[in-house]
Amino acid sequence: MTLPRFLPVALACFGLFALSACHEGDETSTVGVHTPTPRPKPTPTTQIPPDEQIANSTPPPTPKTRVDSAQANSTPPPPVKADYPYGSPVPGHPGFVTSPYAPDAGYVDVHGFTPSQEVRCPYTNKIFLVP
């Protein structure tokens, strides 16, 4: 039995076809086909393990301060008043004072204010106390 003359040619063509199908090829052989470029894989030094990612996402616990029972039961101290100067009462005009910051500017009406209450000087916007 003799082989037909076209069989070796057919086998050669089939082999080339099979090799070209398995070969990825270069850009010239895949005209019109877009192949994405592979991205470089991150190195192990740039990756954060999942355990550390979770640990870093939560804030650290705040330390609890110890409160003595004497401090917890006591009332806070009253606010300390600043050392403001007192206004000067105007003789013959009750309810009026002169400002310690602007004594020549005019009288300040302090009707309705109690002694030692803070008042703002209308001339200098500074605070003084009612005598």
Side-chain angles (χ1 to χ4, degrees):
M1 181 161 162
T2 62
L3 293 175
R5 287 182 4 181
F6 65 89
L7 187 61
V9 175
L11 287 175
C13 288
F14 179 73
L16 288 175
F17 176 73
L19 283 176
S20 66
C22 293
H23 181 65
E24 291 182 15
D26 56 353
E27 293 179 18
T28 58
S29 65
T30 56
V31 175
V33 177
H34 174 70
T35 56
T37 53
R39 294 185 181 188
K41 293 182 180 179
T43 61
T45 57
T46 60
Q47 292 178 345
I48 299 174
D51 295 338
E52 289 182 25
Q53 288 176 353
I54 293 170
N56 290 340
S57 65
T58 57
T62 56
K64 294 183 179 182
T65 57
R66 187 174 151 198
V67 178
D68 293 334
S69 60
Q71 289 178 345
N73 294 335
S74 68
T75 58
V80 178
K81 284 193 173 184
D83 292 330
Y84 295 120
Y86 282 90
S88 301
V90 177
H93 297 287
F96 287 95
V97 297
T98 57
S99 170
Y101 303 112
D104 298 327
Y107 300 149
V108 179
D109 185 3
V110 290
H111 284 95
F113 291 97
T114 60
S116 299
Q117 189 172 359
E118 295 177 353
V119 178
R120 187 172 301 276
C121 174
Y123 307 111
T124 61
N125 285 328
K126 294 182 180 178
I127 295 176
F128 67 92
L129 300 175
V130 176

